[in-house]
Amino acid sequence: MAFNQNFTVQVVVRTALLLATMVAFAWLLQHPDLRFNQLTVGLLVVLQTGGLIWYVQKTNRALERFFLGIRHGDFTMTFQQTSGGRGFRSLEASMQQVLEGYQQVKIEKEAQYHFLQMLVGQLPIGILTFADGELVLMNQTAASLLQADDTRDWKRLQAQHPGLVQALENLGDHGRTLLAPGQESGTGHLAVAVSTTVILGKPHRLISLQDIRTEIEQQEIEAWHKLIRILTHEIMNSVTPIASLTETLQAMLTDAQGHPKPYTAVTADNLDDIRFSLNTIHKRSEGLLGFVDKYRTLSRVPRPAIDTVHLRSFLEHLSTLLTPDLQRQEITLATAVDDPALTIAGDAALIEQVIINLVSNSTHALQTTQQKRISIRAYTAERHIVIEVTDNGRGIPPKEINDIFIPFFSTRKEGMGIGLSLSKQIMSLHGGSIRVQSVTGQGATFSLYFKKQS
């Protein structure tokens, strides 16, 4: 405001003086005898006109420099506050403050950018960003995963990792996938995620890479430990009495020196003990053979014959099949399908086996329940078709719920621990999954997740 007022006063004063000088010059032109005065006043008119033009252009030049500096991001220029009056000094001071403010913002942005780069560089997840098809950022983790420590050339990386490039093309702008070692040489198991966002009108593609090999190996080791522990337990339960009874038989049939006793030394009581021991050994051996046969069954699940399964008729068939036996146990069975036209892609016989296993487990969980109920429901949930088997039985203790899908783990003494493990394998072969939720004393729900048909 001060600059505007001062600028206006200066222009008015300079214009008034110029007009007065021009009037005086015109008057002098009428008096030829005042030649020297005419030259002097004419020169003064020229100087005043040039001064007025210079005064106006000074503002334009200062503003032009100011706007050019902002346009090109040059905030290092300075404005000399030496001439032009108090109004110009106020204008130049204001412009200098604006430039210093922009420079401070630029410094802060650069500091934030360097901090972000440092932060991204420390992430244990590989990060790649693209804009206009060009690689903008690749942190050290991504460079290590892609063995690209010596290059950030995306075209060269594309040639080195065709499996990754194909996976990114398949994912498009958004999605997730998993690359196995055979698909991407030298990278182990890679979890790849892609997302796209628009920044300043340009699409930026963010790609994250995570090596989950260590986590997979750790889970595999834990699974093997659990399986070996259960196998050892089952085998020891059979082998220990066999070894003990064999030792007893040897003691009855040999003397202290280890020589066979004559048959006349074997009494009737000895024969009864021998028959009992042999019978026990036979039973334990059969049990061990049965256990091994169950293991073979578990490891030889047939490939599913995929077909369209209409869930309404499928559940009606299951209800007809299961109801007679459940009624004898005083268990009420209810089936429901939210959409009568709901279908899944699968092997009806294998899926039926899974649900029968789940219902069988529910019947054992309902033994101490008064009003026994089992329900089977099919419905749609986001990108999946879900079949739920729910009971109101005793539920699954929290300490056991993480182990129930391990082969040969059973919460029942007479159980073999095959059903749930087999069910999980069948669901995996269908490209689906099985999940469980349970509250002790209130029941359990097993959910079978199938992918929607496209």
Side-chain angles (χ1 to χ4, degrees):
M1 182 64 71
F3 166 75
N4 289 336
Q5 293 175 350
N6 188 272
F7 180 80
T8 302
V9 171
Q10 288 279 348
V11 170
V12 170
V13 170
R14 287 172 182 268
T15 303
L17 289 173
L18 176 61
L19 289 174
T21 306
M22 292 178 67
V23 170
F25 180 70
W27 181 82
L28 288 172
L29 289 176
Q30 298 175 6
H31 299 81
D33 56 327
L34 299 175
R35 182 73 60 185
F36 178 76
N37 291 336
Q38 291 175 356
L39 291 174
T40 303
V41 174
L43 180 61
L44 185 60
V45 169
V46 172
L47 290 175
Q48 286 180 330
T49 302
L52 179 60
I53 294 173
W54 174 86
Y55 186 79
V56 173
Q57 288 296 324
K58 178 179 174 63
T59 306
N60 293 338
R61 288 193 299 271
L63 291 174
E64 183 180 6
R65 288 180 59 217
F66 176 73
F67 290 124
L68 282 175
I70 293 178
R71 179 181 178 183
H72 297 291
D74 180 12
F75 306 122
T76 59
M77 67 175 64
T78 58
F79 292 90
Q80 301 295 331
Q81 303 175 21
T82 56
S83 62
R86 186 177 61 185
F88 270 107
R89 288 194 295 271
S90 175
L91 174 64
E92 290 171 346
S94 298
M95 290 192 295
Q96 190 68 38
Q97 290 174 0
V98 171
L99 288 177
E100 290 174 356
Y102 271 109
Q103 187 174 16
Q104 183 63 32
V105 170
K106 183 179 179 181
I107 292 172
E108 290 176 357
K109 286 178 64 179
E110 289 180 351
Q112 291 174 356
Y113 177 72
H114 288 303
F115 176 75
L116 179 62
Q117 278 190 319
M118 182 186 69
L119 182 64
V120 172
Q122 296 297 319
L123 290 175
I125 298 175
I127 300 294
L128 301 169
T129 57
F130 292 87
D132 294 331
E134 296 293 330
L135 180 61
V136 177
L137 173 67
M138 177 168 65
N139 68 352
Q140 186 58 42
T141 304
S144 178
L145 288 173
L146 298 178
Q147 301 175 354
D149 296 323
D150 59 340
T151 180
R152 299 298 170 95
D153 185 358
W154 178 237
K155 291 183 179 178
R156 184 173 174 183
L157 291 174
Q158 285 178 310
Q160 292 177 350
H161 303 284
L164 175 62
V165 173
Q166 184 62 47
L168 294 177
E169 290 178 356
N170 294 338
L171 289 175
D173 291 336
H174 298 277
R176 295 174 177 271
T177 189
L178 179 67
L179 293 183
Q183 295 173 270
E184 190 59 29
S185 177
T187 59
H189 289 81
L190 276 185
V192 182
V194 178
S195 61
T196 303
T197 185
V198 177
I199 302 175
L200 299 178
K202 290 184 177 181
H204 285 67
R205 200 177 185 204
L206 175 65
I207 299 169
S208 66
L209 310 172
Q210 186 174 8
D211 188 355
I212 58 174
R213 175 178 48 196
T214 303
E215 288 77 4
I216 291 176
E217 289 176 351
Q218 185 62 33
Q219 290 183 356
E220 287 178 349
I221 290 171
E222 291 178 1
W224 275 110
H225 284 173
K226 291 178 179 178
L227 179 58
I228 290 171
R229 185 174 66 250
I230 294 170
L231 287 173
T232 303
H233 175 73
E234 292 293 334
I235 293 172
M236 289 299 294
N237 282 347
S238 295
V239 172
T240 299
I242 290 175
S244 176
L245 290 171
T246 303
E247 185 178 355
T248 301
L249 289 174
Q250 286 180 337
M252 286 189 294
L253 297 175
T254 59
D255 56 24
Q257 287 75 33
H259 301 298
K261 292 181 180 179
Y263 70 90
T264 55
V266 178
T267 64
D269 290 338
N270 293 145
L271 289 175
D272 290 337
D273 291 339
I274 290 171
R275 279 192 293 268
F276 174 79
S277 298
L278 290 174
N279 187 44
T280 303
I281 291 172
H282 177 69
K283 288 182 178 180
R284 296 309 303 171
S285 298
E286 283 187 336
L288 187 57
L289 287 173
F291 176 79
V292 172
D293 187 59
K294 289 288 185 181
Y295 181 82
R296 291 174 61 190
T297 301
L298 184 63
S299 61
R300 294 181 179 179
V301 180
R303 301 295 300 181
I306 303 298
D307 198 359
T308 299
V309 179
H310 296 272
L311 291 181
R312 183 174 183 179
S313 58
F314 174 76
L315 292 187
E316 288 175 352
H317 166 73
L318 265 176
S319 178
T320 304
L321 181 67
L322 296 171
T323 297
D325 182 59
L326 294 176
Q327 285 180 341
R328 285 192 292 270
Q329 301 179 61
E330 299 180 344
I331 298 174
T332 301
L333 175 65
T335 61
V337 180
D338 287 8
D339 181 359
L342 204 58
T343 63
I344 58 173
D347 187 320
L350 291 177
I351 298 170
E352 181 179 289
Q353 182 179 352
V354 171
I355 297 177
I356 289 174
N357 285 337
L358 297 178
V359 170
S360 176
N361 288 342
S362 294
T363 60
H364 290 283
L366 288 166
Q367 288 179 354
T368 58
T369 304
Q370 294 299 319
Q371 295 181 342
K372 305 173 183 180
R373 296 189 303 274
I374 297 175
S375 66
I376 306 174
R377 177 192 169 205
Y379 62 93
T380 302
E382 295 182 353
R383 293 176 294 177
H384 295 90
I385 306 296
V386 183
I387 302 177
E388 279 186 356
V389 179
T390 303
D391 65 66
N392 63 334
R394 61 175 178 269
I396 304 170
K399 65 180 181 179
E400 296 177 353
I401 201 164
N402 292 327
D403 297 328
I404 59 175
F405 293 106
I406 298 174
F408 311 113
F409 177 87
S410 178
T411 58
R412 308 194 309 268
K413 290 183 179 180
E414 71 280 5
M416 290 295 295
I418 296 294
L420 287 178
S421 179
L422 190 64
S423 299
K424 186 174 183 179
Q425 283 198 55
I426 291 173
M427 289 303 300
S428 178
L429 290 172
H430 281 80
S433 62
I434 180 171
R435 305 174 192 175
V436 60
Q437 291 181 320
S438 178
V439 177
T440 305
Q442 298 183 21
T445 297
F446 285 85
S447 303
L448 310 179
Y449 283 80
F450 298 88
K451 292 181 180 178
K452 279 186 179 179
Q453 293 178 275
S454 57

